[in-house]
Amino acid sequence: MQLLRMTDVALNRRAQVFYHSRLRASAGGTIALAAGTGLLGYAWIQSAWLAYFGAAAILSCLLIFHQLILARFRPSNWLVRLEDDGLFVKFRSYLNDRFPEYDPTVVFLPYAEIRSAKFVREKREVEDLSEHTAKTTKIRKFVELEVSSDCRQLSEELVKEHERVAKGKAISIARYGDFPVRVVAPNRVQIDWTVVPPVQALLDALTRHTLVRPAETASKDLAQFDGLSQEQQKAKLLDLVQGGDKITAIAMARKLYGYDLAQAKEFIEDLLSKQPWK
């Protein structure tokens, strides 16, 4: 296992690349633009003031989020690159590609160090913050790699990346809480799969180099904390953060321990930096 800066990665054109879909981003932007301009035209013809407001809302959202669309057309819009001797995994989100380039943001895993791979579809029940008595269901899809090398150094870099997003006061650009890679044990790495081509293309390629296990379906209840020990509660809060539900984790910490907002944020950040297996 080797940690690299983005500038140290040789972008081999022969590599099989998995990236966030440009077509979907283009389609979404085109639909929003068409809807906004259509409403604007209707409002002009019919003198319908409500349509003006609707058009303004749609076009304003498109203006705000156009950077998310443009990010998918930059060279940094990739998650995994399959090379002849291993795979590069970029743990910095493509949405944060304007962060300083001197940080390690890519991990190289030689095929010889990958013991197994599997695809997991996980159903997660989390508390609906808009209705405190209700749950909402989220689906997370990821590839889990079991490796022979120790992932502690990678875990430390992932914590630093969380800190850059949460506390990056020196960074004057937009910061997005998107973390596609996590370490869940000293020898297990999970990669969120929201990219194209489909995951089967990755697994088919990996069968030539390592054991590919059958796909799994899992479920977790991350809304129920009653009756759990504090260590069990911490484990669930950590799972929420690693799954992209940091706001929910902070809200649950406030509810469980009576913290104010600042204390809850500090508690969750500390929890992230002191994972139980480290």
Side-chain angles (χ1 to χ4, degrees), residues 125-128 131-137 221-224:
E125 299 283 348
V126 302
E127 183 171 312
D128 188 340
E131 300 181 35
H132 295 293
T133 59
K135 296 181 182 180
T136 184
T137 301
D221 186 345
L222 299 175
Q224 180 56 255

Side-chain angles (χ1 to χ4, degrees), residues 11-254:
L11 301 182
N12 186 348
R13 292 186 178 181
R14 294 180 303 163
Q16 187 172 6
V17 182
F18 298 86
Y19 58 94
H20 295 86
S21 174
R22 299 182 180 95
L23 179 61
R24 292 174 189 170
S26 299
T30 301
I31 291 171
L33 181 60
T37 54
L39 271 176
L40 196 61
Y42 175 82
W44 175 264
I45 294 171
Q46 300 293 330
S47 297
W49 292 104
L50 284 178
Y52 275 120
F53 287 120
I58 292 173
L59 295 176
S60 295
C61 288
L62 185 60
L63 183 63
I64 292 170
F65 293 109
H66 77 284
Q67 287 293 344
L68 305 186
I69 298 173
L70 294 178
R72 295 202 174 189
F73 290 87
R74 299 186 186 117
S76 57
N77 175 27
W78 60 271
L79 178 63
V80 173
R81 301 181 70 90
L82 286 179
E83 300 284 353
D84 294 336
D85 53 350
L87 62 151
F88 292 98
V89 181
K90 186 159 70 70
F91 53 85
R92 170 168 290 173
S93 170
Y94 75 103
L95 296 173
N96 292 323
D97 70 338
R98 299 199 177 192
F99 278 23
E101 294 184 346
Y102 50 74
D103 304 315
T105 58
V106 178
V107 59
F108 177 69
L109 295 169
Y111 292 126
E113 294 184 13
I114 302 175
R115 290 175 174 167
S116 69
K118 65 180 176 182
F119 175 66
V120 180
R121 184 179 185 275
E122 185 179 79
K123 178 181 177 182
R124 299 163 63 86
E125 299 283 348
V126 302
E127 183 171 312
D128 188 340
L129 296 180
S130 62
E131 300 181 35
H132 295 293
T133 59
K135 296 181 182 180
T136 184
T137 301
K138 298 183 179 182
I139 302 297
R140 185 172 73 180
K141 300 176 183 179
F142 58 88
V143 172
E144 182 171 286
L145 302 177
E146 182 185 1
V147 299
S148 59
S149 48
D150 195 307
C151 297
R152 294 172 197 270
Q153 188 178 1
L154 171 59
S155 178
E156 290 171 2
E157 289 300 329
L158 293 176
V159 170
K160 291 177 183 177
E161 189 71 5
H162 275 267
E163 291 174 348
R164 291 182 192 109
V165 171
K167 305 175 183 178
K169 296 179 181 179
I171 302 174
S172 59
I173 58 178
R175 305 188 301 274
Y176 297 92
D178 177 35
F179 305 99
V181 178
R182 59 196 161 271
V183 174
V184 295
N187 64 341
R188 281 194 292 143
V189 179
Q190 293 179 351
I191 308 167
D192 285 337
W193 205 259
T194 56
V195 292
V196 294
V199 68
Q200 195 59 46
L202 173 71
L203 299 177
D204 289 345
L206 288 177
T207 55
R208 298 193 292 270
H209 307 283
T210 190
L211 171 66
V212 174
R213 301 185 184 278
E216 289 185 6
T217 300
S219 61
K220 287 184 177 180
D221 186 345
L222 299 175
Q224 180 56 255
F225 284 78
D226 294 340
L228 300 180
S229 67
Q230 189 172 37
E231 290 305 312
Q232 291 172 323
Q233 291 173 349
K234 288 180 179 180
K236 280 197 173 187
L237 290 173
L238 179 60
D239 202 334
L240 281 169
V241 177
Q242 291 185 323
D245 291 300
K246 187 174 182 179
I247 293 176
T248 304
I250 291 172
M252 291 304 300
R254 296 185 68 181

